[in-house]
Amino acid sequence: TTEIYTLSLHDALPIFSIPPNTRGPGVASTGKLEMPHRMTRSRTTNDSSRQGADDGYREYTSMNQTFFKMPEDRTTCPISLEPNFHSIYSEMIDMLSNKKLQQLILHSTLQNARVLLSSPKIRSSSSERSLLKNLGSWLGQVTLARNKPILMRDLDMKELICDAYETGRLIAVVPFVAKVLDACPNSQVFMPPNPWVMGLFSLLLELYQVPDLKLNLKFEIEVLAKTLKVELAEIGRAHV
């Protein structure tokens, strides 16, 4: 698909083969996660298999368009197209309790988000925009939902919105930002009246009040307001 091709051009699409002796009980022979057994993974896994499993799960859960390539049938399984399983992947990360793994996942997610945000096809390709929204949702889960900030040096969200307004990429950026902020209700830190969250939402409100803003973007902002439990009329304008 076009969005996978875009990422592969930036070397963001490695193929990882899981050795048979490192497959955890949560991975079936097809490369899919076996949902009923996902919580049976033992924390007492020996060092060698734990390391192999950590590497495998990093490739599978990092949401960086990485695939499992299983030796038996050479089938690929794209994580980027499975947003409904994000909560399960997040549980697995918690179970592994590996800080290095978490850093690798965050790095991969940010890397691929930046690739898509700068893609020349992002305005015309609905598949790339859909993938970007999935990445936004995952980024929110591995940062804000865990009470961790998205650092400006990694991704300046306000600058991203302002630049999108100037370059005509709001159609991609607004849904992406909204999906990131969707994780706020799961956070003890990043909920209104958190200044960073409210600053971003105020900036989105600026856009909401633009007369010719596309209706689907207005809808994204309205849904986000309900998610954050704030009233659009109560939010002051940001100084852009």
Side-chain angles (χ1 to χ4, degrees):
T1 59
T2 58
E3 72 276 10
I4 300 299
Y5 176 72
T6 297
L7 290 165
S8 67
L9 292 178
H10 292 76
D11 296 325
L13 197 64
I15 298 297
F16 186 87
S17 296
I18 306 175
N21 62 339
T22 63
R23 286 183 201 161
V27 183
S29 60
T30 60
K32 292 283 188 177
L33 294 176
E34 293 180 329
M35 301 305 131
H37 304 294
R38 69 180 187 275
M39 300 306 293
T40 64
R41 180 173 177 78
S42 172
R43 290 182 178 273
T44 60
T45 310
N46 64 60
D47 292 341
S48 59
S49 63
R50 176 64 174 268
Q51 180 62 47
D54 282 357
D55 291 342
Y57 278 113
R58 174 177 68 83
E59 298 297 333
Y60 193 69
T61 61
S62 65
M63 191 54 185
N64 71 343
Q65 292 63 67
T66 303
F67 298 93
F68 274 167
K69 194 169 187 179
M70 310 309 294
E72 289 85 351
D73 54 13
R74 316 305 293 178
T75 309
T76 57
C77 175
I79 303 307
S80 57
L81 305 181
E82 299 177 344
N84 292 336
F85 293 158
H86 283 179
S87 60
I88 295 172
Y89 304 147
S90 183
E91 289 178 19
M92 288 184 171
I93 295 171
D94 289 336
M95 288 163 51
L96 290 170
S97 300
N98 187 318
K99 290 185 178 180
K100 183 178 180 181
L101 170 66
Q102 294 173 7
Q103 292 172 353
L104 288 169
I105 290 172
L106 177 58
H107 174 77
S108 297
T109 303
L110 288 166
Q111 177 188 9
N112 286 281
R114 286 190 288 261
V115 168
L116 285 173
L117 286 166
S118 61
S119 169
K121 297 180 181 179
I122 197 66
R123 288 194 294 178
S124 59
S125 172
S126 60
S127 59
E128 284 198 1
R129 293 196 299 273
S130 177
L131 180 56
L132 183 61
K133 285 180 68 173
N134 292 346
L135 282 168
S137 177
W138 179 246
L139 178 60
Q141 287 202 37
V142 298
T143 54
L144 307 184
R146 296 168 180 265
N147 301 315
K148 297 179 180 179
I150 299 173
L151 301 179
M152 186 180 296
R153 69 187 182 205
D154 294 327
L155 189 64
D156 189 338
M157 302 283 277
K158 286 187 177 181
E159 181 63 27
L160 184 63
I161 296 172
C162 294
D163 182 69
Y165 179 78
E166 295 292 335
T167 58
R169 295 187 173 217
L170 288 176
I171 190 174
V173 170
V174 170
F176 170 74
V177 173
K179 282 297 182 182
V180 172
L181 296 180
D182 268 349
C184 289
N186 298 321
S187 174
Q188 297 178 339
V189 176
F190 296 100
M191 271 293 286
N194 176 278
W196 182 80
V197 173
M198 297 310 293
L200 276 178
F201 193 84
S202 296
L203 188 53
L204 291 175
L205 181 59
E206 285 275 339
L207 297 176
Y208 185 84
Q209 295 169 342
V210 173
D212 59 347
L213 186 70
K214 293 181 179 295
L215 291 178
N216 63 313
L217 299 185
K218 285 181 176 287
F219 179 72
E220 292 277 1
I221 298 171
E222 290 170 355
V223 171
L224 178 60
K226 292 181 180 179
T227 299
L228 299 178
K229 298 181 180 179
V230 297
E231 295 292 335
L232 291 173
E234 295 177 358
I235 308 300
R237 287 192 173 189
H239 297 286
V240 182

